[in-house]
Amino acid sequence: LIYGIDVKEGSSECIIEYDDNRRKNRTWHLPIKNNHFIMFPATQKYFITENKSNKLNVFLIMNYEFI
């Protein structure tokens, strides 16, 4: 789970890698926005792109388990 706490709009995005069982190395490109969650399975590889602004971005990244 990624939550944008203080992110300048358009400055960073989350790229999630996945396999659709026909093609490997597919990606989703999701912009990170203030007060928005990005939720995906913990088994997926992901990374956050370089900050394109001169302002510091703040993210909250956490894992949780559904019981």
Side-chain angles (χ1 to χ4, degrees):
L1 183 72
I2 298 174
Y3 179 69
I5 296 173
D6 187 17
V7 181
K8 183 167 180 158
E9 188 160 343
S11 64
S12 291
E13 64 181 2
C14 176
I15 299 177
I16 302 170
E17 297 177 357
Y18 71 98
D19 178 3
D20 68 359
N21 294 323
R22 291 192 305 168
R23 294 167 293 223
K24 294 186 180 225
N25 302 323
R26 306 277 296 173
T27 57
W28 279 304
H29 295 254
L30 304 165
I32 301 174
K33 301 177 183 176
N34 282 337
N35 301 319
H36 281 87
F37 288 97
I38 299 175
M39 184 183 295
F40 54 92
T43 57
Q44 300 302 121
K45 291 182 183 178
Y46 76 95
F47 62 93
I48 296 173
T49 61
E50 183 178 355
N51 185 357
K52 298 175 191 169
S53 73
N54 57 359
K55 182 183 169 207
L56 185 66
N57 285 336
V58 180
F59 312 110
L60 175 64
I61 299 173
M62 65 180 113
N63 293 323
Y64 68 92
E65 181 177 352
F66 184 72
I67 298 177

